[in-house]
Amino acid sequence: MRIIKLVMVLLFVGVGVTMAQAKKGTMVTAKISTPTVQCEQCKSRIERYLLTEEGVASSKVDYKHGITTVKFFSDRTNIENVKTAIANAGYDADNVKANEESYAKLPTCCKKPEDGGGEDKKKH
Ligand SMILES: [Cu+2]
């Protein structure tokens, strides 16, 4: 009888632990296309911005290839929120267009080439 009770307690604990793990959510890595990122400044601007974003664990902007890799917790945020955060910082993120006001505030070198930004290092 005691052994049966013990087995039942162990089973119960086991189920509890499994449920707790499922509830915790998982860390998701997403690669987001950010083609309007121009330079090191843009990189640190976005990475700094994402640091304050709820649920984001880390981010890395590859401005040479225009790709931002973001690690976030799926139970605390989602990919759309992350894209919106990047857009709010002033940059296009996949299908989410940059917030116009934020984009207007970027230094010229960080804007799109058609607005005077980009590769031309003399402007930096
Ligand atoms: Cu820049």
Side-chain angles (χ1 to χ4, degrees):
M1 205 50 198
R2 260 173 90 185
I3 288 176
I4 290 171
K5 256 190 188 168
L6 191 71
V7 166
M8 279 177 73
V9 165
L10 283 177
L11 260 174
F12 191 73
V13 169
V15 169
V17 167
T18 313
M19 276 167 69
Q21 276 172 349
K23 232 180 155 184
K24 238 171 115 190
T26 42
M27 185 135 87
V28 178
T29 304
K31 282 191 189 297
I32 299 167
S33 166
T34 46
T36 61
V37 171
Q38 308 293 344
C39 66
E40 199 72 35
Q41 269 189 63
C42 305
K43 173 183 159 75
S44 54
R45 184 175 293 113
I46 292 178
E47 289 175 354
R48 239 188 300 126
Y49 203 93
L50 286 176
L51 270 184
T52 64
E53 183 67 16
E54 162 75 21
V56 172
S58 71
S59 67
K60 199 168 160 283
V61 176
D62 178 350
Y63 62 89
K64 287 196 179 90
H65 300 102
I67 292 173
T68 298
T69 308
V70 183
K71 286 189 176 155
F72 63 89
F73 295 101
S74 60
D75 60 330
R76 289 170 63 197
T77 188
N78 58 53
I79 185 75
E80 291 309 317
N81 286 344
V82 174
K83 287 183 197 173
T84 304
I86 295 173
N88 286 343
Y91 299 91
D92 290 353
D94 277 348
N95 52 328
V96 184
K97 289 277 165 234
N99 175 281
E100 275 178 40
E101 232 172 282
S102 305
Y103 178 75
K105 281 185 194 154
L106 295 178
T108 307
C109 65
C110 292
K111 291 185 176 168
K112 296 175 207 167
E114 61 260 41
D115 295 328
E119 292 303 295
D120 194 348
K121 299 291 178 216
K122 275 178 276 177
K123 284 176 185 159
H124 269 258

PDB file of all heavy atoms in Angstrom, residues 39 41-42 110, ligand 1:
ATOM      1  N   CYS A  39      24.448  50.576 -41.246  1.00  0.00           N
ATOM      2  CA  CYS A  39      25.777  50.640 -40.649  1.00  0.00           C
ATOM      3  C   CYS A  39      25.779  50.198 -39.192  1.00  0.00           C
ATOM      4  O   CYS A  39      24.756  49.795 -38.654  1.00  0.00           O
ATOM      5  CB  CYS A  39      26.323  52.062 -40.756  1.00  0.00           C
ATOM      6  SG  CYS A  39      25.393  53.246 -39.767  1.00  0.00           S
ATOM      7  N   GLN A  41      25.953  51.955 -36.590  1.00  0.00           N
ATOM      8  CA  GLN A  41      25.044  52.769 -35.764  1.00  0.00           C
ATOM      9  C   GLN A  41      23.637  52.190 -35.758  1.00  0.00           C
ATOM     10  O   GLN A  41      22.969  52.160 -34.729  1.00  0.00           O
ATOM     11  CB  GLN A  41      24.954  54.179 -36.342  1.00  0.00           C
ATOM     12  CG  GLN A  41      25.941  55.164 -35.800  1.00  0.00           C
ATOM     13  CD  GLN A  41      25.596  56.571 -36.295  1.00  0.00           C
ATOM     14  OE1 GLN A  41      24.542  57.100 -35.978  1.00  0.00           O
ATOM     15  NE2 GLN A  41      26.470  57.124 -37.109  1.00  0.00           N
ATOM     16  N   CYS A  42      23.188  51.772 -36.922  1.00  0.00           N
ATOM     17  CA  CYS A  42      21.857  51.167 -37.038  1.00  0.00           C
ATOM     18  C   CYS A  42      21.805  49.902 -36.200  1.00  0.00           C
ATOM     19  O   CYS A  42      20.834  49.634 -35.502  1.00  0.00           O
ATOM     20  CB  CYS A  42      21.555  50.791 -38.479  1.00  0.00           C
ATOM     21  SG  CYS A  42      21.698  52.115 -39.658  1.00  0.00           S
ATOM     22  N   CYS A 110      21.998  56.784 -41.830  1.00  0.00           N
ATOM     23  CA  CYS A 110      21.267  55.568 -41.481  1.00  0.00           C
ATOM     24  C   CYS A 110      19.988  55.406 -42.289  1.00  0.00           C
ATOM     25  O   CYS A 110      19.243  54.449 -42.091  1.00  0.00           O
ATOM     26  CB  CYS A 110      20.945  55.563 -39.991  1.00  0.00           C
ATOM     27  SG  CYS A 110      22.425  55.396 -38.969  1.00  0.00           S
TER      28      CYS A 110
HETATM   29 CU    CU B   1      23.255  53.552 -39.585  1.00  0.00          CU
END
